[in-house]
Amino acid sequence: MKSIFSGRILLSLACMAGSLYTLPALSAPTVYIPLGSGNGVVAVDAATDTVTEHFTGVKNPHGLVATPDGEFLLAGSIAEDKEKTAAGEDLNSELYLVHPAHGHVMQTIPVSGWSHHQAITPDGRYVLSTHPVRNHVSVVDVQTGAQVKLIETDNGPYFVRVTKDGFKAYVSNSGAGTVQEIDTVTWRVTRSFPAGSSPEHMVLSGDESKLYVNNARKGALSIIPLAEPEQRKEIPISDSLHGLDISDDGRHLFISSTTAGKLFVYTPEKDEKVAVPLAPKPYHLNTVKGAGKVYVSSRSEPTIWVVDQQSFEVVNSFTLPAGEGHQMAVIP
């Protein structure tokens, strides 16, 4: 695996014989989107909102992460090998290692139980996957391609986030109403705290002092100060919340509601909420850092809406080749 700094564009100004050389343009972010029932992953150029590549052979991918240098993608599957499961075998599902430059699946990595969502450590070394029906988080070493740890969690581990320094991870447990903090050096749960009813998608504030958590079935957003999680606040949003992410400047939260057919924009510093109509069934979403956009998928159609992070207006949309968009990975 390349250094996480490889592939970045280094710019310099040079003057020769009194002439100023023109700077090359920076490339736009690439967004990778797993297609779920479409059994594949696509790459999207965030400058033009155009699908540029389609990787097949990935069975029912839901969660997806990329190594920081963009060299590898790792997609988790919500499918299990039924024969292995019936026989009591532990490693009965797979992560798919995709090499975008080569254009295909390079390796499958056995894991314990179907995977819901993924997170990756900032150095690109470890991938954490939630396994809701097994009540654990698996840890896969990207370098060796092996599952190296299973971390027992509360009931229904759903979503996972890793801090910028890579030393902590947070997992929401939708069945238990908790968030658990994991030490990524020892791979042990260090604390657990209430997170509201059915905590699912999460995002950290820009300074990582707060954790924002969707309480999906209750239709509320939990704001949890990590230094004092008992001071948690609940903000009513709407029914059936799903996707959640934060703007590039850290000011706005984007929250989708499938039943309301709306994208909600909540601004914590002003306690303001704006609704953006999106239909049918806005689902997963990711802010596209560096592009000023939010990509929002539909639960029932192969559609991605493109929303401006500041005006909150729908500025574009595009069609996926199949399936529906799930957890996206953005490479600057």
Side-chain angles (χ1 to χ4, degrees), residues 29-315:
T30 299
V31 183
Y32 294 100
I33 306 176
L35 302 178
S37 63
N39 297 319
V41 175
V42 295
V44 177
D45 179 349
T48 60
D49 305 320
T50 303
V51 174
T52 57
E53 295 178 277
H54 184 188
F55 312 111
T56 58
V58 184
K59 189 175 182 180
N60 211 336
H62 192 97
L64 179 73
V65 291
T67 53
D69 57 8
E71 185 175 7
F72 295 108
L73 308 176
L74 291 106
S77 175
I78 60 172
E80 282 191 25
D81 185 320
K82 293 182 179 180
E83 291 185 1
K84 288 184 177 181
T85 303
E89 293 187 42
D90 191 35
L91 300 176
N92 44 26
S93 190
E94 295 175 319
L95 299 186
Y96 292 83
L97 182 72
V98 180
H99 196 299
H102 292 173
H104 60 82
V105 175
M106 293 190 65
Q107 182 183 359
T108 57
I109 302 171
V111 290
S112 179
W114 62 270
S115 304
H116 205 167
H117 293 102
Q118 271 74 41
I120 191 166
T121 53
D123 59 3
R125 179 68 185 272
Y126 298 104
V127 172
L128 292 78
S129 303
T130 58
H131 303 276
V133 298
R134 297 293 192 278
N135 295 333
H136 60 229
V137 169
S138 67
V139 182
V140 165
D141 186 325
V142 178
Q143 291 184 1
T144 64
Q147 179 178 284
V148 295
K149 190 72 176 179
L150 284 179
I151 305 166
E152 292 186 6
T153 66
D154 290 341
N155 188 41
Y158 190 96
F159 205 83
V160 62
R161 289 280 186 180
V162 178
T163 56
K164 295 173 186 175
D165 62 15
F167 291 130
K168 294 179 182 178
Y170 294 94
V171 57
S172 60
N173 302 297
S174 61
T178 61
V179 164
Q180 289 175 294
E181 183 180 85
I182 297 170
D183 182 320
T184 60
V185 176
T186 62
W187 298 120
R188 293 181 178 177
V189 173
T190 52
R191 61 175 176 157
S192 179
F193 44 84
S197 173
S198 62
E200 295 187 357
H201 286 241
M202 306 183 295
V203 68
L204 287 156
S205 62
D207 62 4
E208 299 193 330
S209 65
K210 300 182 185 69
L211 188 66
Y212 300 109
V213 187
N214 272 351
N215 298 140
R217 291 189 293 275
K218 190 173 183 179
L221 174 74
S222 277
I223 302 177
I224 304 174
L226 290 173
E228 299 178 288
E230 66 277 5
Q231 300 299 319
R232 177 179 63 89
K233 296 180 180 178
E234 282 191 4
I235 308 297
I237 302 294
S238 184
D239 295 335
S240 301
L241 303 183
H242 200 80
L244 171 66
D245 210 346
I246 194 167
S247 61
D248 290 3
D249 61 13
R251 295 183 61 231
H252 308 297
L253 295 167
F254 299 94
I255 309 165
S256 61
S257 167
T258 54
T259 56
K262 294 177 182 178
L263 172 70
F264 290 93
V265 186
Y266 179 69
T267 306
E269 65 181 355
K270 296 182 177 180
D271 190 26
E272 290 181 352
K273 183 176 69 174
V274 174
V276 181
L278 290 178
K281 297 184 178 180
Y283 187 43
H284 277 262
L285 64 87
N286 274 77
T287 53
V288 184
K289 191 171 180 62
K293 299 176 179 180
V294 187
Y295 277 9
V296 186
S297 69
S298 168
R299 181 68 184 89
S300 58
E301 293 183 355
T303 297
I304 299 291
W305 295 286
V306 184
V307 178
D308 185 274
Q309 288 189 25
Q310 298 303 319
S311 70
F312 315 146
E313 294 180 355
V314 179
V315 295

Side-chain angles (χ1 to χ4, degrees), residues 10-25:
L10 302 179
L11 302 178
S12 63
L13 286 171
C15 291
M16 297 181 66
S19 298
L20 182 65
Y21 282 74
T22 303
L23 286 169

